[in-house]
Amino acid sequence: MLKYRARDAKAYAREHLRGVWAAAPTPFLPDSLALDEAGLRRNLRHWIGDLGIGGLFISGKQGEFFSMSVAERKRSFEIAVEETAALGHRSGTILSCSDQNIDTVVELARHAQAIGADYIVVHAPLLHFGRDVDDTVFAYYEHIAAQVDIGIAMWSHEDAGYLMSPALCARIARAIPNIVAIKYSVPRPMYVELTRMTEGELIVSTASEEEWLDNILELNWQVYLCSIPPLLYQTAGDRRIDQYTRLAMAGDAVGARRVRDSLEPVRQALKSCRPPGTPQAFQKHWLEQLGQVGGPVRRPLLNLDDAQRAKVRAAFAASGLGAA
């Protein structure tokens, strides 16, 4: 099922890792909290077939990987690859192999490659009492990349307790052939610097939908990798993120901005109903208002109480979206 060799990974990603990629929540059954395989398949078919999502980020933080067993994570990978293939590979797959145990990372990475995934993503490790962060993180990605051919997207976020510097990201990308991209959840000046340092060597993206259009127009970015707004803001009959992305990439900046700005009521509605703490529970309830499968979250996350659920429903009603 191997699609390319490590030496060709950057070229493959430059050609195929494009457009709007979304982070997929993982549905669990209400009573048992088991993986809801049927619900996940139903959602995937909607996201790929109805929303036209360019690719899906499976079992990441939005997908609650931290509460899932290794077997469940592998099963979610398999379902995503199967559904993508069933719909004619109209979307790509990037499978989250992040874990604090590096053997688990490698096990998941090998599984992703074996079942025919397009790419994997690996979060920068937590470094307790960390010293010499740059060399430690470089060696971490070097070791993982040596175990597989599949293209790897790095991910730097303050959750790790530090941010990878642009210089470190560039060093890794230049030295390791199957490091193809980074989800760089950092202040804009840092990702602008990295983009300019690594043009043609590393595909740079960040999670902010609000910054996505400017990054297409000003930085010539090719992929939105990956967060949940493309699944929360769009319906089969209202694909405005997809629309403004296509307009911008075709050179129509004025038209793209007009469509992008029209989504502001949706953005504000979501912000207005987000409870304190982690976002997964309220995002799942929002998905349910869109006719998708949401379901509960697993511990350590907290589910919504009745008042919070009512607030989500009221915000959704005011957003202008529908379930069409």
Side-chain angles (χ1 to χ4, degrees):
M1 297 290 287
L2 183 63
K3 295 186 175 182
Y4 50 85
R5 294 291 180 184
R7 64 178 177 272
D8 302 315
K10 282 182 170 60
Y12 183 90
R14 183 63 60 184
E15 181 178 355
H16 298 285
L17 187 56
R18 293 181 171 275
V20 175
W21 289 52
T26 304
F28 303 116
L29 293 170
D31 296 326
S32 65
L33 295 182
L35 178 64
D36 184 352
E37 294 194 13
L40 179 56
R41 288 185 188 278
R42 176 180 158 189
N43 283 349
L44 287 164
R45 291 167 191 165
H46 171 67
W47 298 332
I48 298 167
D50 297 330
L51 300 189
I53 296 296
L56 289 156
F57 183 170
I58 302 298
S59 293
K61 291 180 192 174
Q62 296 287 1
E64 301 175 61
F65 82 89
F66 44 80
S67 68
M68 297 168 67
S69 68
V70 172
E72 287 175 320
R73 295 174 72 181
K74 288 181 177 179
R75 185 61 185 143
S76 72
F77 290 0
E78 292 161 2
I79 290 168
V81 172
E82 288 168 8
E83 291 299 330
T84 298
L87 290 170
H89 295 285
R90 291 162 59 187
S91 291
T93 52
I94 183 165
L95 310 182
S96 175
C97 300
S98 302
D99 202 89
Q100 273 303 99
N101 184 298
I102 197 167
D103 292 337
T104 298
V105 175
V106 171
E107 180 181 349
L108 290 169
R110 287 174 173 162
H111 186 69
Q113 178 171 295
I115 64 175
D118 292 288
Y119 317 96
I120 62 171
V121 61
V122 178
H123 199 291
L126 290 169
L127 296 177
H128 303 289
F129 312 109
R131 298 291 186 273
D132 196 10
V133 169
D134 282 13
D135 284 348
T136 301
V137 174
F138 181 91
Y140 178 79
Y141 280 112
E142 184 179 49
H143 174 79
I144 294 165
Q147 315 304 311
V148 290
D149 283 276
I150 195 168
I152 300 170
M154 301 179 288
W155 186 2
S156 181
H157 189 286
E158 63 184 1
D159 286 356
Y162 61 94
L163 294 175
M164 295 167 62
S165 69
L168 172 60
C169 299
R171 175 188 170 198
I172 294 170
R174 289 166 180 160
I176 303 174
N178 53 330
I179 294 289
V180 301
I182 184 168
K183 183 177 178 182
Y184 206 28
S185 303
V186 299
R188 195 169 195 270
M190 290 180 68
Y191 69 66
V192 170
E193 179 181 356
L194 179 60
T195 300
R196 291 172 176 161
M197 288 174 67
T198 59
E199 184 176 0
E201 299 173 305
L202 184 68
I203 299 168
V204 182
S205 187
T206 197
S208 172
E209 181 273 329
E210 293 178 79
E211 298 172 43
W212 166 229
L213 176 58
D214 290 338
N215 292 332
I216 300 172
L217 298 174
E218 297 172 18
L219 300 175
N220 198 33
W221 277 14
Q222 69 178 62
V223 68
Y224 175 60
L225 182 76
C226 300
S227 193
I228 198 171
L231 309 183
L232 301 180
Y233 294 9
Q234 300 190 110
T235 70
D238 182 355
R239 292 164 47 174
R240 277 177 280 175
I241 295 179
D242 178 74
Q243 184 183 1
Y244 80 67
T245 297
R246 292 179 183 277
L247 288 169
M249 289 184 171
D252 185 357
V254 173
R257 287 194 177 98
R258 183 171 58 250
V259 176
R260 187 269 312 270
D261 292 348
S262 74
L263 279 167
E264 193 58 25
V266 181
R267 296 186 190 98
Q268 293 305 317
L270 270 161
K271 290 176 183 178
S272 74
C273 65
R274 176 174 176 166
T278 52
Q280 288 91 337
F282 99 95
Q283 291 173 343
K284 283 184 168 183
H285 194 46
W286 186 280
L287 287 177
E288 291 169 350
Q289 310 316 301
L290 286 164
Q292 298 170 45
V293 181
V297 296
R298 286 178 172 176
R299 294 186 186 278
L301 302 182
L302 297 176
N303 283 294
L304 302 183
D305 60 31
D306 289 343
Q308 290 169 331
R309 291 169 69 86
K311 189 173 182 180
V312 171
R313 292 192 295 270
F316 179 83
S319 72
L321 290 176

